[in-house]
Amino acid sequence: MRAFNYYSPTNIVFGNGRISEIGNLINSECRKPLLVMNKGPFRQNGIYDQIKKYIVSSGRELIEMNDIDSNPRLSSAREGTRICKEKKADCIIAVGGGSAMDCAKVIGASAASGTDPYELLWGSKPEVTVSLPVIAVPTIAATGSECNPTAVIVNDETKEKYFCNCIHPVTTILDPELTLTVPLKLAIWGTMDILSHTFEYYFNGDTNSESQLRLSESIIHATMKALDDLVKNPDDVQARGELIWCSIMAWGGLTKIGRGEPDMACHGLEESFSGWFDTHHGACLGVLTPRWMDIVSKKIPEPFARFGRNIFYIEEKDNIKAAAAAVAEYKTWLKQVGAPDTYFDIGSKDFSDEDLKHVAETSCRIYNGAVGRLYKFDKEESLNLLKSGKVKL
């Protein structure tokens, strides 16, 4: 295991019904929170009313802004920053998925520092050292954004999606009952994101930490088991709770300890894909990941052979054969749980080769010529990987 520093400042509050504690969990000095909420059914299904009631009854004034798109826009980050200054908001409550939480983190950093959000992501990229406190209330198990400092935003004009590092949320409320409002299809799509983030350190080529490899395998096992249970019964709150905890375990900081950089090939391509096509982030990862596995397992079979032996209990001794069997088993499982197979399962768009070429070129430009770590995909290889998502497995 490599040398590391690990510090996770987020206070995690987990349990059914614990959203009722939000008024007490906000710092007493914060009196005017800004609500940053995803677009969706929250104003119809009672979550908005529930949170507003708890905030107002705690003696605070709730400030609101327009709801956030599933791929959060630079314009929304700017709107939230403007409102914070105008209304003198002193903290931010992010409700929904990673989009709301990412946007909230950028708003918090921009409002506290007086920096245009553009500068954080595409401009001078100053180090973020201050932020309004962010309280995260995830309603879907997916990105783990509720427990890390990263934020991903789309430039409205260029459709380029990029990330920056802000400040961790100060508090995260993980209430599994809130995730019961998420339709099964979206829960499946979110799970694809959990698994992708787990794979990024598991398949990064670093094999010098057995404890960390086994931690990743535990998260993979638990995530797959929880989704199996949820497919059988979408109202299984125990399975919902397992998934929302796995999302934090996958990308909250523990899996990266002592392992070097993650392999971000799928995420690197997907961010440019969903920025351009405005599709669901997790769903596209569900399409790209098994195709990425197909390609890389043939070039570097050893980590995939281990994946097969420890996740699917494959007994094959030959690494090449074991790796091929592991990818086949993973594909079979994806079909069993109803994961998206092609791009056409996640959006009614053309997904032309010309558009996919633009996505490949954008991704490789952002990541200095190629995406990936275990195996680097140049522009041509990235395009071929992207094209494969138009054809059924």
Side-chain angles (χ1 to χ4, degrees):
M1 188 183 295
R2 303 183 187 196
F4 63 86
N5 294 334
Y6 176 63
Y7 171 62
S8 182
T10 305
N11 176 34
I12 300 172
V13 177
F14 179 94
N16 294 329
R18 299 203 69 180
I19 188 59
S20 64
E21 301 174 31
I22 189 170
N24 294 327
L25 291 168
I26 300 173
N27 188 301
S28 60
E29 296 178 359
C30 297
R31 308 309 301 170
K32 298 177 71 174
L34 172 70
L35 178 64
V36 178
M37 188 167 65
N38 271 112
K39 285 182 178 176
F42 304 121
R43 297 181 188 275
Q44 291 76 41
N45 64 18
I47 288 180
Y48 165 79
D49 290 335
Q50 192 177 14
I51 290 174
K52 183 176 182 179
K53 179 186 72 173
Y54 293 136
I55 297 300
V56 173
S57 65
S58 70
R60 294 176 171 87
E61 175 189 347
L62 189 65
I63 302 168
E64 300 188 44
M65 62 176 286
N66 291 327
D67 293 344
I68 307 302
D69 293 300
S70 62
N71 291 294
R73 311 291 177 187
L74 174 61
S75 56
S76 294
R78 281 174 164 163
E79 178 198 9
T81 302
R82 177 189 61 79
I83 291 173
C84 281
K85 293 177 180 177
E86 183 180 297
K87 303 288 188 180
K88 295 182 171 52
D90 50 21
C91 68
I92 302 172
I93 299 172
V95 178
S99 300
M101 291 179 278
D102 286 7
C103 200
K105 284 184 267 190
V106 172
I107 292 169
S110 297
S113 64
T115 306
D116 181 357
Y118 178 90
E119 293 299 320
L120 299 181
L121 291 132
W122 294 279
S124 59
K125 301 180 182 178
E127 180 184 0
V128 175
T129 58
V130 294
S131 176
L132 298 182
V134 174
I135 297 91
V137 184
T139 60
I140 183 172
T143 68
S145 183
E146 58 269 27
C147 201
N148 68 58
T150 308
V152 182
I153 302 290
V154 178
N155 186 321
D156 305 64
E157 295 180 2
T158 65
K159 297 184 181 179
E160 183 174 300
K161 196 173 188 180
Y162 200 56
F163 72 92
C164 66
N165 287 318
C166 297
I167 303 290
H168 285 75
V170 296
T171 297
T172 286
I173 302 173
L174 299 179
D175 188 334
E177 290 180 344
L178 293 182
T179 70
L180 288 168
T181 62
V182 176
L184 178 60
K185 181 176 78 171
L186 290 182
I188 294 168
W189 290 3
T191 303
M192 299 300 103
D193 198 4
I194 299 172
L195 288 168
S196 179
H197 276 314
T198 310
F199 292 150
E200 283 160 0
Y201 282 106
Y202 186 67
F203 290 120
N204 78 338
D206 190 312
T207 59
N208 292 319
S209 175
E210 185 66 20
S211 60
Q212 288 296 84
L213 286 166
R214 290 185 180 273
L215 172 62
S216 291
E217 288 164 355
S218 175
I219 296 168
I220 294 165
H221 270 298
T223 301
M224 293 175 68
K225 169 65 164 57
L227 187 57
D228 285 338
D229 292 343
L230 204 60
V231 168
K232 295 174 186 174
N233 176 16
D235 293 327
D236 186 340
V237 72
Q238 173 70 23
R240 298 269 184 172
E242 290 283 341
L243 281 177
I244 205 166
W245 181 246
C246 285
S247 71
I248 281 185
M249 294 299 291
W251 205 238
L254 284 175
T255 55
K256 73 180 182 181
I257 291 174
R259 301 174 88 168
E261 296 300 315
D263 187 305
M264 299 291 287
C266 292
H267 255 84
L269 289 171
E270 196 295 317
E271 285 169 0
S272 292
F273 185 98
S274 57
W276 186 252
F277 289 111
D278 196 21
T279 48
H280 190 280
H281 174 63
C284 185
L285 288 171
V287 174
L288 289 176
T289 298
R291 291 163 171 83
W292 172 85
M293 287 182 168
D294 254 336
I295 296 169
V296 182
S297 64
K298 292 179 175 66
K299 300 177 182 295
I300 308 167
E302 291 79 11
F304 296 90
R306 175 180 174 130
F307 174 63
R309 292 172 185 136
N310 290 0
I311 300 299
F312 297 107
Y313 308 110
I314 292 167
E315 296 182 356
E316 173 62 55
K317 301 297 183 185
D318 181 85
N319 281 342
I320 295 174
K321 292 179 181 178
V327 176
E329 288 280 358
Y330 186 64
K331 289 180 183 177
T332 297
W333 178 78
L334 290 173
K335 291 179 181 179
Q336 289 173 348
V337 296
D341 188 6
T342 71
Y343 304 140
F344 305 107
D345 294 330
I346 66 177
S348 55
K349 300 177 186 291
D350 183 34
F351 302 111
S352 70
D353 287 355
E354 191 62 30
D355 282 329
L356 293 176
K357 181 180 179 182
H358 174 82
V359 170
E361 290 175 345
T362 301
S363 299
C364 288
R365 172 173 53 80
I366 289 172
Y367 288 94
N368 302 314
V371 294
R373 180 174 176 83
L374 184 62
Y375 178 80
K376 290 186 178 295
F377 287 73
D378 61 21
K379 283 190 288 188
E380 182 179 354
E381 291 170 310
S382 295
L383 177 57
N384 289 335
L385 173 56
L386 286 165
K387 283 182 178 179
S388 68
K390 295 167 66 174
V391 182
K392 288 185 175 294
L393 288 172

